[in-house]
Amino acid sequence: RKEVEQDPGPFNVPEGATVAFNCTYSNSASQSFFWYRQDCRKEPKLLMSVYSSGNEDGRFTAQLNRASQYISLLIRDSKLSDSATYLCVGENSGGYQKVTFGTGTKLQVIP
Amino acid sequence: EPEVTQTPSHQVTQMGQEVILRCVPISNHLYFYWYRQILGQKVEFLVSFYNNEISEKSEIFDDQFSVERPDGSNFTLKIRSTKLEDSAMYFCASSVRQPSGAFFGQGTRLTVV
């Protein structure tokens, strides 16, 4: 089983829609999680950290469910500029800082 | 806004040659990383570096790879004898603490011919 698994998509949604991505992880040692976005042929850009208590930043909400080992990202009121690949990332802490990226979920927001 | 800068943006090299990829992390960051992304594939962790030593490396980071922080600002990745399969985008990243999300440079596209 892959350490961090994502539905590759693509998710094609109309402007203004709400879209949610899930990401599952297998390594229970993973302590911290993040969402990045990556535009085509560009570098990953940190979007937000993910906490068990939930984390909201404007139209974006991230959630971590440790019991079920999944992370979610919710985007409300989608904009054309949200079109990108969204990468789920798990990071071990305390001594070993191995970072594992998911393969990414592609989002296309349609006018 | 502070950013991670990488040079060159594109490097073409012959198989068997040595290459050095350069990075200038964000100045107050303490943790440095190299990642690679083969075209169409996921981002793969290579190595993390803290306090002038490697703190973690992946199975990809074998004896052909080395990292160095030769001065107070640069962070380099050396590949001693490049192979065709080393062709990829190499990203440098840095973070202020660990664990935390990292800031990535624009990448160096390495093409081995």
Side-chain angles (χ1 to χ4, degrees):
Chain A
R1 186 179 173 184
K2 295 177 187 174
E3 287 191 48
V4 176
E5 200 153 355
Q6 297 182 250
D7 180 345
F11 284 56
N12 297 313
V13 302
E15 248 184 310
T18 295
V19 61
F21 311 131
N22 280 342
C23 163
T24 56
Y25 65 94
S26 59
N27 184 0
S28 57
S30 293
Q31 296 292 315
S32 303
F33 299 91
F34 306 90
W35 283 102
Y36 286 75
R37 68 170 280 167
Q38 186 175 29
D39 294 283
C40 189
R41 295 182 180 266
K42 299 282 189 181
E43 74 275 20
K45 289 187 178 174
L46 179 63
L47 190 62
M48 58 200 307
S49 306
V50 189
Y51 307 121
S52 299
S53 55
N55 187 20
E56 187 171 319
D57 184 3
R59 298 182 292 109
F60 297 81
T61 301
Q63 194 85 44
L64 166 62
N65 184 318
R66 289 197 185 273
S68 303
Q69 294 189 200
Y70 78 84
I71 302 108
S72 64
L73 177 68
L74 181 80
I75 306 175
R76 289 179 296 277
D77 188 23
S78 301
K79 312 286 184 197
L80 296 176
S81 57
D82 294 334
S83 298
T85 296
Y86 289 83
L87 310 176
C88 173
V89 180
E91 192 169 312
N92 297 339
S93 59
Y96 293 97
Q97 296 116 27
K98 185 176 176 183
V99 181
T100 305
F101 276 72
T103 50
T105 297
K106 188 169 182 179
L107 171 67
Q108 186 69 49
V109 181
I110 306 161
Chain B
E1 186 179 317
E3 59 181 18
V4 176
T5 56
Q6 290 185 243
T7 54
S9 56
H10 192 186
Q11 172 100 40
V12 181
T13 189
Q14 287 205 321
M15 194 169 56
Q17 294 296 304
E18 174 184 286
V19 293
I20 298 176
L21 309 184
R22 292 184 165 79
C23 169
V24 179
I26 295 173
S27 61
N28 64 332
H29 285 189
L30 302 176
Y31 297 86
F32 315 118
Y33 314 87
W34 282 102
Y35 294 87
R36 78 171 187 191
Q37 187 173 31
I38 295 169
L39 189 63
Q41 297 187 23
K42 70 174 186 177
V43 176
E44 298 175 292
F45 170 78
L46 293 178
V47 66
S48 59
F49 192 87
Y50 170 71
N51 200 26
N52 279 322
E53 59 182 24
I54 290 173
S55 50
E56 177 67 6
K57 59 184 180 179
S58 71
E59 51 277 2
I60 302 168
F61 194 87
D62 61 22
D63 292 344
Q64 292 300 310
F65 291 88
S66 62
V67 289
E68 197 178 28
R69 188 153 162 84
D71 52 43
S73 58
N74 291 283
F75 180 51
T76 61
L77 174 70
K78 182 193 289 187
I79 309 175
R80 286 190 184 79
S81 177
T82 49
K83 307 181 185 70
L84 294 176
E85 54 265 36
D86 293 328
S87 295
M89 181 74 93
Y90 287 80
F91 292 111
C92 173
S94 68
S95 65
V96 66
R97 62 183 178 277
Q98 186 74 29
S100 77
F103 293 84
F104 280 67
Q106 322 93 301
T108 293
R109 179 162 297 284
L110 177 66
T111 303
V112 182
V113 297

Coordinates of all heavy atoms in Angstrom, one line a residue, chain A residues 29-101:
Chain A
A29 N 3.2 6.5 11.8 CA 4.2 7.3 12.4 C 4.2 8.8 11.8 O 4.8 9.6 12.4 CB 5.6 6.7 12.2
S30 N 3.4 8.9 10.7 CA 3.3 10.3 10.2 C 2.7 11.2 11.2 O 1.6 10.9 11.6 CB 2.5 10.3 8.9 OG 3.3 9.6 7.9
Q31 N 3.3 12.3 11.5 CA 2.9 13.1 12.6 C 2.2 14.4 12.1 O 1.3 14.9 12.7 CB 4.1 13.5 13.4 CG 4.7 12.3 14.2 CD 3.8 11.8 15.2 OE1 3.2 12.5 16.0 NE2 3.7 10.4 15.2
S32 N 2.7 14.9 11.0 CA 2.2 16.2 10.5 C 1.8 16.0 9.0 O 2.4 15.3 8.3 CB 3.3 17.2 10.6 OG 3.7 17.3 11.9
F33 N 0.8 16.8 8.6 CA 0.3 16.7 7.3 C 0.1 18.1 6.7 O -0.2 19.1 7.4 CB -1.0 16.0 7.3 CG -0.9 14.6 7.7 CD1 -1.1 14.2 9.1 CD2 -0.5 13.5 6.9 CE1 -0.9 13.0 9.5 CE2 -0.3 12.2 7.3 CZ -0.5 12.0 8.7
F34 N 0.2 18.2 5.4 CA 0.1 19.5 4.7 C -0.5 19.3 3.4 O -0.5 18.2 2.8 CB 1.5 20.1 4.5 CG 2.4 20.2 5.7 CD1 3.2 19.1 6.1 CD2 2.3 21.3 6.5 CE1 3.9 19.2 7.3 CE2 3.0 21.4 7.7 CZ 3.8 20.4 8.1
W35 N -1.1 20.3 2.9 CA -1.6 20.4 1.5 C -0.8 21.4 0.8 O -0.5 22.5 1.2 CB -3.1 20.8 1.4 CG -4.0 19.7 1.8 CD1 -4.7 19.5 3.0 CD2 -4.4 18.6 0.9 NE1 -5.5 18.4 2.9 CE2 -5.4 17.8 1.7 CE3 -4.1 18.2 -0.4 CZ2 -6.0 16.7 1.2 CZ3 -4.7 17.1 -0.9 CH2 -5.6 16.3 -0.1
Y36 N -0.3 21.0 -0.4 CA 0.4 21.8 -1.3 C -0.4 21.9 -2.6 O -1.2 21.0 -2.9 CB 1.8 21.3 -1.7 CG 2.8 21.4 -0.6 CD1 2.8 20.6 0.5 CD2 3.9 22.3 -0.7 CE1 3.8 20.7 1.5 CE2 4.9 22.4 0.2 CZ 4.8 21.6 1.3 OH 5.8 21.7 2.3
R37 N -0.2 23.0 -3.4 CA -0.7 23.0 -4.8 C 0.5 23.1 -5.7 O 1.5 23.7 -5.4 CB -1.7 24.1 -5.0 CG -1.2 25.5 -5.0 CD -2.2 26.5 -5.5 NE -2.3 26.6 -6.9 CZ -3.2 27.2 -7.6 NH1 -4.2 27.8 -6.9 NH2 -3.2 27.2 -8.9
Q38 N 0.3 22.4 -6.8 CA 1.3 22.5 -7.8 C 0.7 22.8 -9.2 O -0.1 22.0 -9.7 CB 2.1 21.2 -7.9 CG 3.3 21.2 -8.8 CD 4.2 20.0 -8.8 OE1 3.7 18.9 -8.5 NE2 5.5 20.1 -9.1
D39 N 1.1 23.9 -9.8 CA 0.7 24.2 -11.1 C 1.6 23.4 -12.1 O 2.7 23.1 -11.8 CB 0.7 25.7 -11.4 CG -0.3 26.4 -10.5 OD1 -1.4 26.4 -10.8 OD2 0.1 27.0 -9.4
C40 N 1.1 23.3 -13.3 CA 1.8 22.5 -14.3 C 3.3 22.9 -14.5 O 3.5 24.1 -14.8 CB 1.1 22.5 -15.6 SG 1.7 21.4 -16.9
R41 N 4.2 22.0 -14.3 CA 5.6 22.3 -14.5 C 6.2 23.4 -13.6 O 7.2 24.0 -13.9 CB 5.9 22.6 -15.9 CG 5.6 21.5 -16.9 CD 6.0 21.8 -18.3 NE 5.7 20.7 -19.2 CZ 6.6 19.8 -19.5 NH1 7.8 19.9 -19.1 NH2 6.3 18.8 -20.3
K42 N 5.5 23.6 -12.4 CA 6.0 24.5 -11.4 C 6.3 23.8 -10.1 O 6.1 22.6 -10.0 CB 4.9 25.6 -11.2 CG 4.5 26.4 -12.4 CD 5.6 27.5 -12.7 CE 5.1 28.4 -13.8 NZ 6.1 29.4 -14.1
E43 N 6.9 24.6 -9.2 CA 7.2 24.0 -7.9 C 6.0 23.9 -7.0 O 5.0 24.6 -7.2 CB 8.2 24.9 -7.2 CG 7.7 26.2 -6.6 CD 7.7 27.3 -7.6 OE1 7.7 27.1 -8.8 OE2 7.7 28.5 -7.1
P44 N 5.9 22.9 -6.1 CA 4.9 22.8 -5.1 C 4.9 24.1 -4.3 O 5.9 24.6 -3.9 CB 5.2 21.6 -4.3 CG 6.1 20.8 -5.1 CD 6.9 21.8 -5.9
K45 N 3.7 24.5 -3.9 CA 3.5 25.7 -3.0 C 2.7 25.3 -1.8 O 1.6 24.7 -2.0 CB 2.9 26.9 -3.8 CG 3.8 27.5 -4.8 CD 3.3 28.7 -5.4 CE 4.3 29.3 -6.4 NZ 3.8 30.5 -7.1
L46 N 3.2 25.6 -0.7 CA 2.5 25.2 0.5 C 1.2 26.0 0.6 O 1.1 27.2 0.5 CB 3.4 25.6 1.8 CG 2.8 25.3 3.1 CD1 2.6 23.8 3.3 CD2 3.7 25.9 4.2
L47 N 0.1 25.2 0.8 CA -1.2 25.7 0.9 C -1.6 25.9 2.3 O -2.0 27.0 2.8 CB -2.2 24.8 0.2 CG -3.6 25.3 -0.1 CD1 -3.6 26.5 -0.9 CD2 -4.4 24.2 -0.7
M48 N -1.6 24.8 3.1 CA -1.9 24.9 4.5 C -1.5 23.6 5.3 O -1.3 22.6 4.7 CB -3.4 25.1 4.7 CG -4.3 24.1 4.1 SD -6.0 24.7 3.8 CE -6.4 25.3 5.4
S49 N -1.3 23.8 6.5 CA -1.1 22.7 7.4 C -2.5 22.1 7.8 O -3.5 22.7 7.6 CB -0.4 23.2 8.7 OG 0.7 23.9 8.4
V50 N -2.4 20.8 8.3 CA -3.6 20.1 8.6 C -3.6 19.7 10.0 O -2.6 19.0 10.5 CB -3.8 18.8 7.7 CG1 -5.1 18.2 7.9 CG2 -3.5 19.2 6.2
Y51 N -4.6 20.0 10.8 CA -4.7 19.7 12.2 C -5.9 18.9 12.5 O -6.9 19.0 11.7 CB -4.7 21.0 13.0 CG -3.6 22.0 12.7 CD1 -3.9 23.3 12.3 CD2 -2.3 21.6 12.9 CE1 -2.9 24.2 12.1 CE2 -1.3 22.5 12.6 CZ -1.6 23.8 12.2 OH -0.6 24.7 11.9
S52 N -5.9 18.1 13.5 CA -7.0 17.3 13.9 C -8.2 18.2 14.2 O -9.4 17.8 14.0 CB -6.7 16.4 15.1 OG -5.7 15.5 14.9
S53 N -7.9 19.4 14.7 CA -9.0 20.3 15.1 C -9.6 21.0 13.8 O -10.5 21.8 14.0 CB -8.5 21.3 16.1 OG -7.4 22.0 15.5
G54 N -9.0 20.8 12.7 CA -9.4 21.5 11.5 C -8.7 22.8 11.3 O -8.2 23.4 12.3
N55 N -8.5 23.2 10.1 CA -7.8 24.4 9.8 C -8.4 25.1 8.6 O -8.6 24.5 7.6 CB -6.3 24.0 9.5 CG -5.4 25.3 9.3 OD1 -5.8 26.3 9.8 ND2 -4.3 25.1 8.7
E56 N -8.8 26.3 8.8 CA -9.5 27.1 7.8 C -8.7 28.3 7.4 O -8.2 29.0 8.2 CB -10.9 27.5 8.3 CG -11.8 28.1 7.2 CD -13.2 28.3 7.7 OE1 -13.8 27.4 8.4 OE2 -13.8 29.3 7.4
D57 N -8.7 28.5 6.1 CA -8.0 29.7 5.5 C -8.8 30.2 4.4 O -8.7 29.7 3.2 CB -6.5 29.3 5.1 CG -5.7 30.5 4.6 OD1 -6.3 31.6 4.7 OD2 -4.6 30.3 4.2
G58 N -9.6 31.1 4.6 CA -10.5 31.7 3.6 C -11.4 30.6 3.1 O -12.2 30.0 3.8
R59 N -11.3 30.3 1.8 CA -12.2 29.3 1.2 C -11.8 27.9 1.4 O -12.4 27.0 0.9 CB -12.3 29.6 -0.3 CG -12.9 31.0 -0.7 CD -13.0 31.2 -2.2 NE -11.7 31.3 -2.8 CZ -11.2 30.4 -3.6 NH1 -11.8 29.3 -3.9 NH2 -10.0 30.6 -4.2
F60 N -10.6 27.7 2.0 CA -10.0 26.4 2.1 C -10.1 25.9 3.6 O -9.8 26.6 4.5 CB -8.5 26.4 1.7 CG -8.3 26.8 0.3 CD1 -8.3 28.2 -0.1 CD2 -8.1 25.9 -0.7 CE1 -8.1 28.5 -1.4 CE2 -7.8 26.2 -2.0 CZ -7.9 27.5 -2.4
T61 N -10.6 24.6 3.7 CA -10.6 24.0 5.0 C -10.0 22.6 4.9 O -10.3 21.8 4.0 CB -12.1 23.8 5.5 OG1 -12.7 25.1 5.5 CG2 -12.1 23.1 6.8
A62 N -9.0 22.4 5.8 CA -8.4 21.1 5.9 C -8.7 20.4 7.2 O -8.9 21.0 8.2 CB -6.9 21.3 5.8
Q63 N -8.7 19.1 7.1 CA -9.1 18.3 8.3 C -8.3 17.0 8.4 O -8.0 16.5 7.3 CB -10.6 17.9 8.3 CG -11.2 17.4 9.6 CD -11.6 18.5 10.5 OE1 -12.2 19.5 10.1 NE2 -11.3 18.3 11.8
L64 N -7.9 16.6 9.6 CA -7.2 15.4 9.7 C -8.0 14.4 10.6 O -8.5 14.8 11.7 CB -5.8 15.7 10.4 CG -5.0 14.5 11.0 CD1 -4.6 13.5 10.0 CD2 -3.8 15.0 11.8
N65 N -8.2 13.2 10.2 CA -8.9 12.2 11.0 C -7.9 11.1 11.2 O -7.6 10.2 10.4 CB -10.1 11.7 10.2 CG -10.9 10.7 11.0 OD1 -10.3 9.8 11.7 ND2 -12.2 10.8 10.9
R66 N -7.3 11.1 12.4 CA -6.2 10.1 12.7 C -6.8 8.7 12.9 O -6.1 7.7 12.6 CB -5.4 10.5 14.0 CG -4.6 11.7 13.8 CD -3.5 11.9 14.9 NE -2.8 13.1 14.7 CZ -1.7 13.2 14.0 NH1 -1.2 12.1 13.3 NH2 -1.0 14.3 13.9
A67 N -8.0 8.6 13.4 CA -8.6 7.3 13.6 C -8.7 6.5 12.3 O -8.5 5.3 12.2 CB -9.9 7.4 14.3
S68 N -9.2 7.3 11.3 CA -9.4 6.6 10.0 C -8.2 6.9 9.0 O -8.3 6.4 7.9 CB -10.7 7.2 9.3 OG -11.8 7.0 10.2
Q69 N -7.2 7.6 9.5 CA -6.0 7.8 8.7 C -6.3 8.5 7.4 O -5.9 8.0 6.3 CB -5.2 6.6 8.6 CG -4.6 6.1 9.9 CD -3.6 5.0 9.8 OE1 -3.4 4.2 10.7 NE2 -3.0 4.8 8.6
Y70 N -7.1 9.6 7.4 CA -7.3 10.3 6.2 C -7.2 11.8 6.5 O -7.5 12.3 7.6 CB -8.5 9.9 5.4 CG -9.8 10.5 5.9 CD1 -10.3 11.8 5.6 CD2 -10.6 9.7 6.7 CE1 -11.5 12.3 6.1 CE2 -11.8 10.2 7.2 CZ -12.2 11.5 6.9 OH -13.4 12.0 7.3
I71 N -6.9 12.5 5.4 CA -6.8 14.0 5.4 C -7.7 14.5 4.3 O -7.9 13.9 3.3 CB -5.4 14.5 5.1 CG1 -4.4 13.9 6.1 CG2 -5.3 16.0 5.2 CD1 -3.5 12.8 5.5
S72 N -8.4 15.6 4.6 CA -9.3 16.2 3.6 C -9.0 17.6 3.3 O -8.4 18.3 4.2 CB -10.8 16.0 4.0 OG -11.0 16.8 5.2
L73 N -9.4 18.0 2.1 CA -9.3 19.5 1.8 C -10.6 19.8 1.1 O -11.0 19.2 0.2 CB -8.1 19.7 0.8 CG -8.0 21.1 0.3 CD1 -7.5 22.1 1.4 CD2 -6.9 21.2 -0.8
L74 N -11.2 20.9 1.6 CA -12.4 21.4 1.0 C -12.2 22.8 0.5 O -11.6 23.6 1.1 CB -13.5 21.5 2.2 CG -14.9 21.9 1.7 CD1 -15.6 20.8 1.1 CD2 -15.7 22.4 2.9
I75 N -12.6 23.0 -0.8 CA -12.5 24.3 -1.4 C -13.9 24.8 -1.7 O -14.7 24.1 -2.4 CB -11.7 24.2 -2.7 CG1 -10.3 23.6 -2.5 CG2 -11.5 25.6 -3.3 CD1 -9.5 23.4 -3.7
R76 N -14.3 25.9 -1.1 CA -15.6 26.5 -1.4 C -15.5 27.6 -2.5 O -14.4 28.2 -2.6 CB -16.1 27.1 -0.1 CG -16.5 26.1 1.0 CD -17.0 26.8 2.2 NE -16.0 27.6 2.8 CZ -15.1 27.1 3.7 NH1 -15.1 25.9 4.0 NH2 -14.1 27.9 4.2
D77 N -16.6 27.8 -3.2 CA -16.7 28.9 -4.1 C -15.4 28.8 -5.1 O -14.7 29.8 -5.2 CB -16.7 30.2 -3.4 CG -17.0 31.4 -4.3 OD1 -17.5 31.1 -5.4 OD2 -16.6 32.5 -4.0
S78 N -15.3 27.7 -5.8 CA -14.1 27.5 -6.6 C -13.9 28.6 -7.6 O -14.9 29.1 -8.2 CB -14.3 26.2 -7.4 OG -14.4 25.1 -6.5
K79 N -12.7 29.0 -7.8 CA -12.3 30.0 -8.8 C -11.5 29.3 -9.9 O -10.9 28.3 -9.7 CB -11.4 31.1 -8.1 CG -11.8 31.6 -6.8 CD -13.0 32.6 -7.0 CE -13.4 33.2 -5.7 NZ -14.7 33.8 -5.8
L80 N -11.4 30.0 -11.0 CA -10.6 29.4 -12.1 C -9.2 29.2 -11.7 O -8.5 28.3 -12.1 CB -10.7 30.3 -13.4 CG -12.1 30.5 -14.0 CD1 -12.0 31.5 -15.2 CD2 -12.6 29.1 -14.5
S81 N -8.7 30.2 -10.9 CA -7.3 30.1 -10.5 C -7.0 29.0 -9.5 O -5.8 28.7 -9.2 CB -6.9 31.5 -9.8 OG -7.8 31.7 -8.7
D82 N -8.1 28.3 -9.0 CA -7.8 27.1 -8.2 C -7.4 25.9 -9.0 O -7.0 24.9 -8.4 CB -9.1 26.8 -7.4 CG -9.5 27.9 -6.4 OD1 -8.6 28.6 -5.9 OD2 -10.7 28.0 -6.1
S83 N -7.5 26.0 -10.3 CA -7.1 24.8 -11.1 C -5.7 24.5 -10.9 O -4.8 25.4 -11.2 CB -7.4 25.2 -12.6 OG -8.8 25.4 -12.8
A84 N -5.4 23.3 -10.5 CA -4.0 22.9 -10.2 C -4.0 21.5 -9.7 O -5.1 20.9 -9.6 CB -3.4 23.8 -9.0
T85 N -2.9 20.9 -9.4 CA -2.8 19.6 -8.7 C -2.6 19.8 -7.3 O -1.7 20.6 -6.9 CB -1.7 18.8 -9.4 OG1 -2.0 18.5 -10.7 CG2 -1.6 17.4 -8.6
Y86 N -3.4 19.2 -6.4 CA -3.3 19.3 -5.0 C -2.6 18.1 -4.4 O -3.0 17.0 -4.6 CB -4.7 19.6 -4.4 CG -5.2 20.9 -4.8 CD1 -5.8 21.1 -6.0 CD2 -5.0 22.0 -3.9 CE1 -6.2 22.4 -6.4 CE2 -5.4 23.3 -4.3 CZ -6.0 23.5 -5.5 OH -6.4 24.7 -5.9
L87 N -1.5 18.4 -3.7 CA -0.6 17.3 -3.2 C -0.8 17.2 -1.7 O -0.8 18.2 -0.9 CB 0.8 17.7 -3.4 CG 1.2 18.1 -4.9 CD1 2.6 18.5 -5.0 CD2 0.9 16.9 -5.8
C88 N -1.0 16.0 -1.2 CA -1.2 15.7 0.2 C 0.2 15.2 0.7 O 0.9 14.4 0.0 CB -2.2 14.6 0.3 SG -2.4 13.9 2.0
V89 N 0.7 15.7 1.8 CA 2.0 15.4 2.2 C 2.0 15.0 3.7 O 1.4 15.7 4.5 CB 2.9 16.7 2.1 CG1 4.4 16.4 2.6 CG2 3.0 17.1 0.6
G90 N 2.7 13.9 4.0 CA 2.9 13.4 5.4 C 4.3 13.6 5.8 O 5.2 13.4 5.0
E91 N 4.5 14.0 7.0 CA 5.9 14.2 7.5 C 6.0 13.6 8.9 O 5.2 13.8 9.8 CB 6.1 15.7 7.6 CG 7.5 16.2 7.8 CD 7.6 17.7 7.5 OE1 7.1 18.2 6.5 OE2 8.2 18.3 8.4
N92 N 7.1 12.8 9.0 CA 7.4 12.2 10.3 C 8.2 13.2 11.1 O 9.0 14.0 10.6 CB 8.3 10.9 10.1 CG 7.5 9.9 9.4 OD1 6.3 9.9 9.3 ND2 8.2 9.0 8.8
S93 N 8.0 13.2 12.4 CA 8.7 14.1 13.2 C 9.5 13.4 14.2 O 9.4 12.2 14.4 CB 7.7 15.1 13.9 OG 6.8 14.4 14.7
G94 N 10.3 14.1 14.9 CA 11.1 13.6 16.0 C 12.2 12.7 15.6 O 12.2 11.6 15.6
G95 N 13.3 13.2 15.1 CA 14.4 12.3 14.8 C 14.5 12.0 13.4 O 15.6 12.1 12.8
Y96 N 13.5 11.6 12.7 CA 13.5 11.3 11.3 C 12.5 12.3 10.6 O 11.3 12.3 11.0 CB 13.2 9.9 11.0 CG 14.2 9.0 11.5 CD1 14.1 8.3 12.7 CD2 15.4 8.8 10.8 CE1 15.1 7.5 13.2 CE2 16.4 7.9 11.2 CZ 16.3 7.3 12.4 OH 17.3 6.5 12.9
Q97 N 12.9 13.0 9.7 CA 12.0 14.0 9.1 C 11.7 13.6 7.6 O 11.7 14.4 6.7 CB 12.7 15.3 9.1 CG 12.9 15.9 10.5 CD 14.3 16.1 10.8 OE1 15.1 16.3 10.0 NE2 14.7 16.0 12.1
K98 N 11.4 12.3 7.4 CA 11.1 11.9 6.1 C 9.8 12.4 5.7 O 8.8 12.4 6.4 CB 11.0 10.3 6.0 CG 10.8 9.8 4.6 CD 10.9 8.3 4.5 CE 10.6 7.9 3.1 NZ 10.6 6.4 3.0
V99 N 9.7 12.9 4.5 CA 8.5 13.6 3.9 C 8.0 12.7 2.8 O 8.8 12.3 1.9 CB 8.9 15.0 3.4 CG1 7.7 15.7 2.9 CG2 9.5 15.8 4.6
T100 N 6.7 12.5 2.8 CA 6.1 11.6 1.7 C 5.0 12.4 1.0 O 4.1 12.9 1.7 CB 5.6 10.3 2.3 OG1 6.6 9.7 3.0 CG2 5.1 9.4 1.2
F101 N 5.2 12.6 -0.3 CA 4.2 13.3 -1.1 C 3.2 12.2 -1.7 O 3.6 11.1 -2.1 CB 4.8 14.0 -2.2 CG 5.3 15.4 -1.9 CD1 6.5 15.5 -1.1 CD2 4.7 16.5 -2.3 CE1 6.9 16.8 -0.7 CE2 5.2 17.8 -2.0 CZ 6.3 17.9 -1.2

